[in-house]
Amino acid sequence: MDSIFEAFGQAQAIGNGNLLATTITPVSPPEDPERLHTFRNGANVFSVQHEIRDLIHANTHGMRLPKAETNAWLDVYLAYWKAIGEILTTEEGTSRADWNKVYETWKEVANALIRGYSSGGFQAWSIPCLYVAGKYLRVFAIKADEQGRKKGPATFNPSFQDDVVGDFGKNEKLEDAARLMNRIFTLCISDRAPLEESRKWGIYYITNLLFKTYFKLNSIGLSKNILRALQATRTDMPPFESFPKSHIVTFKYYVGVILFLEEDYVKAEEHLTEAWQTCHADAQKNRELILTYLIPCHLLTTHTLPSTSLLRPYPRLQALFTPLSHCIRRGDLAGFDAAMVAGEAEFVKRRIYLTLERGRDIALRNLFRKVFLAGGFEEAKGGGPAVRRTRIPVSEFGAAIRVGMREGGERMESDEVECLLANMIYKVSSFSLVA
């Protein structure tokens, strides 16, 4: 137990929130892989409260922590000790392994932290502790729900997951976690302390956690409540650009995806572009997720297709978007339909299928443009320069559609072809070029 409370004392001495957060992390650090086992085995249920109290006093000697704050930290580490016991029991795969118990005990850690900030005098520099509590509350809730659905043991994987892809099963624990994270959100956004010592500096991290949770629950509409709350308090918030870039990128990404799903593609493109430009160049996974939605946005707003050099670092996106891009450029309707069928499962999973389906109109436009170009020039009159033919029979467009649909394509009636042409003209895109 000593290493955890030595770090606790150092963090309190220098006001280092990130160091303090490591003392309540439910994963042993690489340099001390036995930390959790040592912490759990350092006391028993009868002596743990006394042991923790003595260690807090020993490592904060001379700092004069207020009694209320000391007692609040005691509650946090007592809850943490119980949670670590359940986590290790579950990880060891014994017959008593139960992610529901892990979730419930970790929930007590989060509640103890909330009480500490509400009435225990925890200072704003320590808000990374809230990040850790919220992050693993969500992770353990997902594991508990998975175990409940499978009625079997689940394994703990703390790695990053793409939460834009929803899980439509029963999520009782995750819904409960969302409610608790809402309390953390309120705790941060309602802080009236001066900005330099305000919990509002943690608001975007907690907001991003809520976004991830709502996407996982397929309750994206609840995200709008969070955005409205942020909008209502924007004048009392620190400047947006002053927040950590990681918070900004994630926030912009999720807001962009929310707008994308609402079919507000222009605003979605703005947010996603900002996320792309701000995202670290080495964060390949995050940049890939941003491009998953930015590419369809560009397709609809600017009729711009992704270049080969853009997609080359992302093999999954290359496999998804390259066939579509080639077919759109060539006006290959049959190829476009085949590419949509081939990627349908992934497109639906990512919620981009309906948006990409609109790319067929651009493929059709390019096919019609080829008909226009193939029409050649009219005879020059009066010695003037030759001009392209401006009157093209509808039958030529019909023939092009049959070619584009290849074998098996249904023969379209002249009225249907005229309807397609009218739609192209209405969209003011008949003869423009896809980049």
Side-chain angles (χ1 to χ4, degrees), residues 106-325:
W106 190 259
K107 181 179 174 182
E108 287 305 311
V109 175
N111 279 323
L113 281 168
I114 291 173
R115 289 194 298 271
Y117 286 100
S118 300
S119 57
F122 289 180
Q123 299 178 54
W125 60 262
S126 65
I127 55 175
C129 292
L130 286 176
Y131 302 167
V132 171
K135 173 184 176 180
Y136 288 99
L137 183 74
R138 182 179 161 279
V139 169
F140 294 144
I142 292 171
K143 292 299 176 184
D145 288 332
E146 287 177 355
Q147 187 175 36
R149 286 192 292 269
K150 297 176 182 177
K151 297 188 182 297
T155 56
F156 174 41
N157 177 9
S159 62
F160 176 77
Q161 296 181 12
D162 178 15
D163 300 297
V164 170
V165 181
D167 186 346
F168 306 111
K170 185 178 180 182
N171 294 288
E172 178 183 352
K173 298 300 183 184
L174 191 58
E175 290 171 0
D176 184 60
R179 289 189 287 270
L180 189 54
M181 280 188 277
N182 253 308
R183 289 178 57 197
I184 298 176
F185 175 84
T186 302
L187 185 71
C188 292
I189 202 170
S190 61
D191 190 11
R192 293 292 177 261
L195 288 182
E196 58 271 15
E197 53 189 49
S198 173
R199 292 190 296 269
K200 287 180 179 177
W201 288 102
I203 194 64
Y204 284 107
Y205 187 97
I206 302 303
T207 296
N208 294 335
L209 272 181
L210 281 168
F211 284 162
K212 292 179 182 181
T213 304
Y214 291 147
F215 273 87
K216 193 74 175 177
L217 290 169
N218 198 35
S219 300
I220 301 169
L222 294 176
S223 301
K224 301 301 291 290
N225 298 334
I226 301 298
L227 292 175
R228 281 192 288 268
L230 291 173
Q231 181 69 12
T233 59
R234 66 188 186 281
T235 56
D236 299 326
M237 296 283 287
F240 183 68
E241 61 275 9
S242 300
F243 285 86
K245 280 190 176 182
S246 59
H247 299 191
I248 293 173
V249 171
T250 306
F251 179 77
K252 285 290 183 180
Y253 165 70
Y254 276 104
V255 173
V257 174
I258 290 167
L259 292 168
F260 177 92
L261 297 176
E262 292 180 341
E263 300 186 1
D264 190 346
Y265 297 114
V266 174
K267 289 184 179 178
E269 184 180 20
E270 292 176 4
H271 286 276
L272 291 168
T273 299
E274 188 170 347
W276 169 260
Q277 292 172 345
T278 311
C279 188
H280 196 283
D282 294 334
Q284 290 291 93
K285 176 65 174 177
N286 293 344
R287 291 172 73 85
E288 179 177 324
L289 289 172
I290 294 168
L291 281 180
T292 301
Y293 298 91
L294 186 55
I295 288 172
C297 277
H298 275 310
L299 179 62
L300 292 190
T301 58
T302 64
H303 296 170
T304 303
L305 294 169
S307 65
T308 303
S309 59
L310 176 66
L311 293 177
R312 189 176 296 117
Y314 313 101
R316 187 186 65 84
L317 295 185
Q318 197 170 26
L320 288 175
F321 291 122
T322 299
L324 289 175
S325 299

